[in-house]
């Protein structure tokens, strides 16, 4: 019973953080591994995706009801991410990911330093692209991040937020909303893959999903209430934690 309480608390907190800037997997995946140390990793990842797809969907709906979501970027990016997440999941079974693991901390350091240097980055919503160019760039971002999520995964939501701020000129708040739509697609793609492979504990996943939904709803409302400045600060905190976690996993574990 105590283990379930830990998992439900982890699902709530993961949903809250993920709804604002991504990075919920940093909380829930290690929690699952600590409670079930002897279980197959693929099963834990698959079970995590059950909670994740419901939580990101709840956050996306909350954002859509309260702020303007840039659907012209969100939909093509989500479609591409859904398709490429399958390719990434297939690829990870055929090639080693050690190189990705070692490069990732340095990419995250660049993201953090760039965001710190550009004080006005993401403070104002100033979309840069429209029409066919907007669609093509959205597809490229969705494809790249979808493939990455299928191959490796950590920081997917945070990378999406950064790219929609940097490349599209969105505010952090708007970028967070769009990233949730894309994240639903990547989570759904992975969920289908894990489900077809029999790597999901459905009962546990659905229980965690309830708490993940509540956390996601709270997180998205906090982001909307406090605006882009709040999202930017939390983004930097999550990226810093990601740098530490991925750096340790790559070079010391």
């Amino acid at each position: 019973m105590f283990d379930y309480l830990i998992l439900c608390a982890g699902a709530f907190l993961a949903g809250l953080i993920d709804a604002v800037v991504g990075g919920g997997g940093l909380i829930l995946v290690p929690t699952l591994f600590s409670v079930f140390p002897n279980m197959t990793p693929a099963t834990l990842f698959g079970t995590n995706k059950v909670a994740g797809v419901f939580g990101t969907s709840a956050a996306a709906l909350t954002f859509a009801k309260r702020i303007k979501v840039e659907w012209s970027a969100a939909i093509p990016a989500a479609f591409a991410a859904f398709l490429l997440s399958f390719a990434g999941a297939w690829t990870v079974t055929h090639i080693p990911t050690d190189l990705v693991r070692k490069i990732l901390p340095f990419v995250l350091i660049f993201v953090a330093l760039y965001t710190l240097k550009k004080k006005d980055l993401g403070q104002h919503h100033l979309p840069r692209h429209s029409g066919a160019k907007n669609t093509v760039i959205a597809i490229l971002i969705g494809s790249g991040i979808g493939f990455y999520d299928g191959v490796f995964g950590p920081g997917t939501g945070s990378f999406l937020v950064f790219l929609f701020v940097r490349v599209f000129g969105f505010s952090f708040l708007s970028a967070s909303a769009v990233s949730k739509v894309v994240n639903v697609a990547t989570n759904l793609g992975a969920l289908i893959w894990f489900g077809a492979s029999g790597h999901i504990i459905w009962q546990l996943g659905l229980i965690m999903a309830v708490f993940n939904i509540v956390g996601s709803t709270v997180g998205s409302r906090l982001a909307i209430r406090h605006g882009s400045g709040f999202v930017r600060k939390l983004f930097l905190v999550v990226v810093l934690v990601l740098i530490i976690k991925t750096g340790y996993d790559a070079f010391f574990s």
Side-chain angles (χ1 to χ4, degrees):
M1 182 63 182
F2 182 68
D3 287 345
Y4 275 85
L5 290 175
I6 292 174
L7 289 170
C8 289
F12 172 83
L13 186 57
L16 191 154
I17 297 297
D18 202 61
V20 183
V21 290
L26 279 172
I27 299 168
L28 192 50
V29 171
T31 303
L32 281 163
F33 273 84
S34 67
V35 173
F36 301 108
N38 298 317
M39 191 169 289
T40 305
T43 300
L44 297 181
F45 285 126
T47 304
N48 171 66
K49 287 299 182 184
V50 176
V53 75
F54 280 99
T56 50
S57 296
L61 286 171
T62 302
F63 277 118
K65 289 177 182 178
R66 293 170 179 260
I67 68 170
K68 179 186 176 182
V69 177
E70 298 288 349
W71 294 107
S72 61
I75 291 175
F79 182 73
F82 176 78
L83 294 178
L84 267 294
S85 64
F86 281 104
W90 178 86
T91 301
V92 77
T93 63
H94 292 80
I95 64 168
T97 58
D98 289 346
L99 180 60
V100 177
R101 186 185 297 270
K102 286 181 166 56
I103 291 174
L104 184 58
F106 298 101
V107 176
L108 288 164
I109 288 171
F110 167 78
V111 168
L113 291 176
Y114 187 91
T115 304
L116 282 169
K117 181 181 178 181
K118 302 286 186 179
K119 301 294 184 183
D120 293 332
L121 185 71
Q123 295 301 307
H124 306 288
H125 189 61
L126 301 169
R128 298 192 182 109
H129 311 295
S130 61
K133 184 179 180 181
N134 181 83
T135 302
V136 170
I137 295 174
I139 289 173
L140 290 174
I141 288 177
S143 298
I145 296 299
F147 185 79
Y148 167 77
D149 195 33
V151 170
F152 202 56
T156 294
S158 300
F159 280 131
L160 283 168
V161 171
F162 177 77
L163 288 171
F164 280 117
V165 169
R166 176 64 185 85
V167 178
F168 279 86
F170 294 169
S171 68
F172 268 101
L173 181 60
S174 182
S176 185
V178 174
S179 73
K180 294 287 92 58
V181 177
V182 182
N183 239 163
V184 171
T186 59
N187 282 336
L188 185 59
L191 182 65
I192 292 172
W193 175 273
F194 285 121
S197 305
H199 288 297
I200 294 176
I201 306 173
W202 285 102
Q203 183 179 6
L204 176 59
L206 290 172
I207 291 172
M208 292 192 304
V210 173
F211 289 86
N212 200 257
I213 288 170
V214 176
S216 294
T217 304
V218 172
S220 53
R221 288 181 177 177
L222 279 173
I224 293 166
R225 180 181 305 166
H226 296 289
S228 291
F230 167 75
V231 177
R232 180 180 187 273
K233 290 174 183 175
L234 190 57
F235 172 81
L236 285 168
V237 171
V238 170
V239 170
L240 177 60
V241 174
L242 275 166
I243 290 169
I244 296 170
K245 175 68 167 60
T246 58
Y248 178 83
D249 289 346
F251 298 104
F252 300 104
S253 63

